[in-house]
Amino acid sequence: MPVKRRVTIALIAEEAGVSIPTVSKVINGRPEVAAETRRRVERLLHKHGYQRRVSQDEGRAGLVDLVFAEIESPWAMEIVRGAESAAHEAGASVVISVLHTHAGPGPDWMERLAGRRTDGVVIVASRLSTGVQAQLSARSLPFVVVDPEGEPAPGVASVGATNWNGGLAATRHLLELGHRRIGMISGPADMLCSQARIDGYRAALETAGVPSAPELIRRGTFLVDSGHDQGHALLSLEQPPTAIFAGSDLQAFGVFEAARQRGLRVPEDLSVVGFDDLPLSRSAWPPLTTVRQPLQEMAALATRTVLSMGRGEQPETRRVELATELVVRESTAPPRAS
């Protein structure tokens, strides 16, 4: 029976046909490696499950890296609060990185990460390439994805919310009020949460025997401007909706403005439901009916998970979805009698 060779940098270098320093540069995210060579080494690191040996002398760094695609929204601030709270309880601090792209961490970020110690990485609403997974695993750095954009790879720990249930609950609420022509504004088509909310919306309509009209479903970003523009588009239809379910609170605020510009009152002329339950939703006028997404709890759980993985513990389940909840306020009402 052949003896299985221990996975070392030397073995990876031999199989990849490169030098040991080249493999070390790939592991540590250094930029001075040709793209094709980097991909070849990363595939081998991933194939062999290589992990850097961590000495007991290194101990804990007391830092968690929190990585955002974008951070210019109150949504991101809720994630920061949750992560910082959990890190503080564990005697750790949070380092925030902003990628300014949804493509996921790249070589520049890996190089910065290699320049300091960290106990783990929490990646928020961003894609995670196989190459980055291999580099993080090779450096023995645990990582968790919060609200993953795409389907997480097997074995990748992730924390999200029950977006489908949230879409179902929001639409059912409007149906129970008597609305039958219900508009839906969601986020980008390639984001899991966007599609899940649309699927929940469609399921509620189907259960109620209400046809799903394609012209009533719009996509955009989860920001105010998108809600404003898509709200105008929906309200410009020959048969406009009497209610709109927005895929985020920020979108809902944009719909509020579009309705105001058209001389429509919320909720007398148009009912609006959001998604997230940001603090702003309570102080909006009228106060926004929305689906509560437990953002702080999601971030806190991801942070606690990554710290426990750093101690050698493995999560009981790799994919966690926290419950959403409909919060009824004053932006929804029965449709006006025609």
Side-chain angles (χ1 to χ4, degrees):
M1 184 175 179
V3 178
K4 186 176 180 180
R5 297 174 68 182
R6 184 166 66 89
V7 181
T8 63
I9 289 181
L11 173 63
I12 300 294
E14 179 184 333
E15 288 198 22
V18 299
S19 67
I20 290 175
T22 296
V23 175
S24 181
K25 287 175 183 178
V26 172
I27 290 172
N28 289 300
R30 308 296 297 183
E32 58 269 19
V33 179
E36 179 54 39
T37 301
R38 181 183 299 278
R39 285 192 291 269
R40 186 164 71 251
V41 172
E42 286 173 347
R43 282 195 296 269
L44 288 168
L45 290 169
H46 186 69
K47 172 186 172 182
H48 290 291
Y50 173 82
Q51 290 193 332
R52 178 174 63 92
R53 298 183 68 180
V54 180
S55 72
Q56 293 183 344
D57 293 337
E58 290 187 47
R60 293 176 61 247
L63 291 177
V64 174
D65 275 73
L66 183 62
V67 184
F68 288 92
E70 304 288 350
I71 201 170
E72 294 85 4
S73 79
W75 185 96
M77 292 302 100
E78 293 299 293
I79 296 290
V80 171
R81 290 187 184 100
E84 287 189 330
S85 174
H88 178 74
E89 289 175 4
S93 299
V94 173
V95 177
I96 297 173
S97 300
V98 184
L99 304 174
H100 303 293
T101 174
H102 287 260
D108 290 346
W109 177 79
M110 287 300 302
E111 184 177 6
R112 291 195 300 272
L113 189 68
R116 54 181 161 77
R117 291 172 56 208
T118 185
D119 293 321
V121 180
V122 175
I123 300 172
V124 183
S126 185
R127 296 191 180 277
L128 190 63
S129 69
T130 302
V132 171
Q133 292 177 45
Q135 289 180 53
L136 291 172
S137 297
R139 298 187 66 228
S140 298
L141 280 178
F143 56 92
V144 177
V145 183
V146 174
D147 200 15
E149 281 203 0
E151 188 73 31
V156 173
S158 67
V159 179
T162 54
N163 290 290
W164 186 90
N165 287 343
L168 183 79
T171 310
R172 276 184 175 168
H173 169 65
L174 294 169
L175 289 165
E176 288 166 358
L177 287 171
H179 295 278
R180 290 298 178 267
R181 196 153 173 84
I182 301 170
M184 167 78 201
I185 305 174
S186 191
D190 59 352
M191 293 185 70
L192 275 180
C193 62
S194 300
Q195 190 57 50
R197 292 169 198 176
I198 290 177
D199 290 345
Y201 158 86
R202 285 177 169 149
L205 292 178
E206 183 179 354
T207 302
V210 177
S212 175
E215 72 271 15
L216 290 178
I217 300 176
R218 304 283 167 152
R219 293 186 184 274
T221 68
F222 284 123
L223 302 178
V224 174
D225 287 350
S226 183
H228 172 269
D229 295 346
Q230 298 303 330
H232 269 304
L234 287 168
L235 296 171
S236 297
L237 293 172
E238 187 175 339
Q239 290 184 287
T242 60
I244 294 177
F245 167 36
S248 73
D249 288 352
L250 295 180
Q251 282 184 345
F253 300 150
V255 173
F256 276 12
E257 180 60 14
R260 186 194 66 78
Q261 290 171 350
R262 290 174 168 270
L264 299 176
R265 299 165 299 164
V266 176
E268 292 87 352
D269 303 313
L270 178 72
S271 287
V272 180
V273 178
F275 201 109
D276 286 331
D277 194 26
L278 299 175
L280 288 170
S281 65
R282 296 186 285 276
S283 56
W285 189 255
L288 180 65
T289 294
T290 187
V291 176
R292 180 177 183 271
Q293 181 175 205
L295 297 171
Q296 290 193 31
E297 291 93 328
M298 288 160 59
L301 176 58
T303 303
R304 287 194 294 269
T305 300
V306 88
L307 287 170
S308 68
M309 289 169 70
R311 295 191 297 269
E313 303 168 18
Q314 292 301 314
E316 292 183 6
T317 177
R318 289 278 168 173
R319 186 165 184 174
V320 177
E321 289 189 343
L322 300 185
T324 51
E325 176 187 7
L326 180 69
V327 180
V328 179
R329 296 195 179 99
E330 299 175 37
S331 65
T332 50
R336 188 176 56 180
S338 55

